[in-house]
Amino acid sequence: HVQLVESGGGSVQAGGSLKLSCDTSGLTDRHVCMTWFRQAPGKEREGVATIDTDDRIDYIDSVKGRFAISVDHAKNTLGLQMNSLKPEDTGMYYCASDRMRPCRRVVYGGTWSGLGYLGQGTQVTVS
């Protein structure tokens, strides 16, 4: 049973930083896209940042210049460094793998294809 396991969430004040990590060691093959999604209460899940196997990176406009997605292949970890956090960044953050291109569709309103795995999420609260 493949699992993606997120960690690093928490509660911070506006302007603070958090670093999320996703353990991807459970993936048995390399998926095309690795993505961070978030879902705020009462809102639909949205793609925040995505990276593909060519290391192309895309971000949703609201986090550009503040968030940075990264992959550590040696440690089988997907990361998301979040700086200058705002209350509107509050939500459950999920990491996901996907086999369907283009990866960047998820930061332009597209959805996860389901052809991959989705973690259980880690909560981020900014006050």
Side-chain angles (χ1 to χ4, degrees), residues 14-91:
S17 298
L18 283 173
K19 174 73 180 289
L20 305 184
S21 294
C22 176
D23 180 358
T24 65
S25 59
L27 292 177
T28 56
D29 60 313
R30 197 175 183 191
H31 292 201
V32 173
C33 316
M34 294 300 301
T35 300
W36 285 99
F37 289 92
R38 69 184 177 193
Q39 187 166 20
K43 294 188 176 181
E44 292 189 354
R45 187 168 61 206
E46 63 179 358
V48 175
T50 187
I51 183 168
D52 68 14
T53 50
D54 296 319
D55 290 332
R56 174 183 171 132
I57 292 173
D58 290 276
Y59 298 99
I60 194 171
D61 283 347
S62 60
V63 309
K64 286 180 180 178
R66 300 189 297 121
F67 290 14
I69 190 172
S70 61
V71 174
D72 186 330
H73 295 293
K75 296 182 178 179
N76 294 313
T77 301
L78 178 72
L80 185 67
Q81 178 66 46
M82 305 186 295
N83 300 323
S84 302
L85 283 161
K86 303 177 181 180
E88 51 263 44
D89 295 318
T90 294

Side-chain angles (χ1 to χ4, degrees), residues 94-117:
Y94 304 88
C95 74
S97 66
D98 203 330
R99 293 187 175 93
M100 192 173 89
R101 291 184 184 272
C103 305
R104 65 184 180 274
R105 71 184 188 281
V106 299
V107 300
Y108 295 108
T111 58
W112 179 56
S113 73
L115 300 175
Y117 301 96

